Amino acid sequence: MTLRKLSGLLLAAVACIAPAQGMAQFNLGKAVKAAGKVAQAVTLTDAQMAAYVKQSVDWMDKNNPVLPEDNDYVKRLRRLTANVKDADGIPLNFKVYDVIDVNAFACPDGSVRVFSSLMDIMNDDELMGVIGHEIGHVLKRHSKNALKQKLLTDAALDAAGAANGKVAVLTDSQLGAISESLINAKFSQKQESEADECGYDFLVANGLNPWGMAMAFEKLSGSEGGAKSSAIQKMFSSHPDTQKRIKKMSERAQKDGFVKPEAK
């Protein structure tokens, strides 16, 4: 899940800005906590997983402000992703949520959602680096495996009728639980490193400067957090390996002969 990043002062300023009129915080709904029904989650097939992910993404699109095609944020994203290829055979689809959270995520079904507040603080290279990182989690099946593990441990689909090969219509609480799993999945250091490499390759493949990866991380690591902090901000502001990841991406870009642009 997939994967999405101003100096520390600018990020801190953004964190302190009051929500613009009409903008909302990202809506995850109510997460469900169920116990004793893990056996059903164990039986989930890939097809069932895909169906439940699609239901969850459709629910998130319905319950969050999706910007229209004529919006400037969407025009920018369409320009940047116009020639992006499918992810290992999975068709990608992109939408922008007009919310105050600084985030982006990619789902195993190829749905990529970018938050307008993330676009506000990222230049094109940095934004695409974050998007490439999130897509990397999908390519490497990290998002799918994390969701499966979530279902195994929390049994979020306890009432979904996963047994007998059926795909049930999920409740709002179940959809909220799956959404939370997709967006706030916890990945290992190895998985994050693999997604970083995918993000770097994604930038190069799309004719952008791969320095965007390191620069995006630098911006996010400068975040001071706060009540509205997103998972992606918290990950980079507190993750002990962030500086190592920045160093690794910087050294790779230098080795490959790319010039670091001036920070904007």
Side-chain angles (χ1 to χ4, degrees), residues 136-149:
H137 283 306
V138 173
L139 285 171
K140 296 296 184 180
R141 299 175 67 88
H142 301 159
S143 301
K144 184 175 181 179
N145 292 336
L147 176 58
K148 184 64 175 287
Q149 185 61 39

Side-chain angles (χ1 to χ4, degrees), residues 222-260:
S223 169
E224 291 187 357
K228 303 299 185 183
S229 291
S230 64
I232 198 169
Q233 283 178 289
K234 291 176 181 176
M235 177 181 71
F236 283 98
S237 62
S238 62
H239 200 292
D241 271 359
T242 296
Q243 294 305 315
K244 291 182 180 179
R245 293 166 66 186
I246 292 173
K247 184 174 185 291
K248 183 177 181 180
M249 291 293 98
S250 299
E251 290 177 345
R252 182 178 176 188
Q254 289 176 325
K255 182 179 179 181
D256 291 344
F258 289 96
V259 177
K260 184 177 182 178

Side-chain angles (χ1 to χ4, degrees), residues 26 56-64 97 105 179 182-183:
F26 179 68
S56 179
V57 172
D58 289 346
W59 182 89
M60 285 188 283
D61 287 350
K62 180 180 178 180
N63 287 278
N64 288 284
Y97 288 168
F105 62 91
S179 300
L182 292 171
I183 298 169

Side-chain angles (χ1 to χ4, degrees), residues 57 61 93-97 103-106 110-115:
V57 172
D61 287 350
N93 66 90
F94 300 85
K95 291 184 180 181
V96 180
Y97 288 168
N103 212 344
F105 62 91
S111 296
V112 182
R113 301 296 180 259
V114 184
F115 295 11

Side-chain angles (χ1 to χ4, degrees), residues 26-31 59 63-64 172-173 175-177 179-180:
F26 179 68
N27 180 21
L28 258 181
K30 296 179 180 178
W59 182 89
N63 287 278
N64 288 284
D172 281 353
S173 61
L175 289 168
S179 300
E180 194 276 336

Side-chain angles (χ1 to χ4, degrees), residues 26-180:
F26 179 68
N27 180 21
L28 258 181
K30 296 179 180 178
V32 63
K33 289 181 181 276
K37 300 294 181 68
V38 178
Q40 288 190 5
V42 175
T43 68
L44 282 175
T45 66
D46 284 355
Q48 288 172 315
M49 288 273 288
Y52 290 132
V53 168
K54 185 179 187 309
Q55 282 191 52
S56 179
V57 172
D58 289 346
W59 182 89
M60 285 188 283
D61 287 350
K62 180 180 178 180
N63 287 278
N64 288 284
V66 177
L67 290 173
E69 289 297 316
D70 61 354
N71 182 271
D72 287 342
Y73 285 103
V74 179
K75 289 179 181 178
R76 179 188 175 196
L77 187 62
R78 293 284 177 261
R79 171 177 59 81
L80 290 172
T81 61
N83 298 315
V84 172
K85 299 178 181 178
D86 293 348
D88 197 23
I90 302 173
L92 298 174
N93 66 90
F94 300 85
K95 291 184 180 181
V96 180
Y97 288 168
D98 191 24
V99 292
I100 62 175
D101 307 65
V102 177
N103 212 344
F105 62 91
C107 300
D109 71 333
S111 296
V112 182
R113 301 296 180 259
V114 184
F115 295 11
S116 58
S117 292
L118 176 69
M119 299 179 72
D120 285 337
I121 64 172
M122 296 285 152
N123 65 35
D124 288 352
D125 294 340
E126 294 162 352
L127 178 63
M128 288 291 275
V130 175
I131 292 173
H133 174 94
E134 296 303 318
I135 292 174
H137 283 306
V138 173
L139 285 171
K140 296 296 184 180
R141 299 175 67 88
H142 301 159
S143 301
K144 184 175 181 179
N145 292 336
L147 176 58
K148 184 64 175 287
Q149 185 61 39
K150 176 73 173 179
L151 297 178
L152 289 172
T153 55
D154 288 3
L157 296 183
D158 67 308
N164 303 318
K166 295 181 180 180
V167 174
V169 176
L170 305 180
T171 66
D172 281 353
S173 61
Q174 290 168 330
L175 289 168
I178 293 178
S179 300
E180 194 276 336

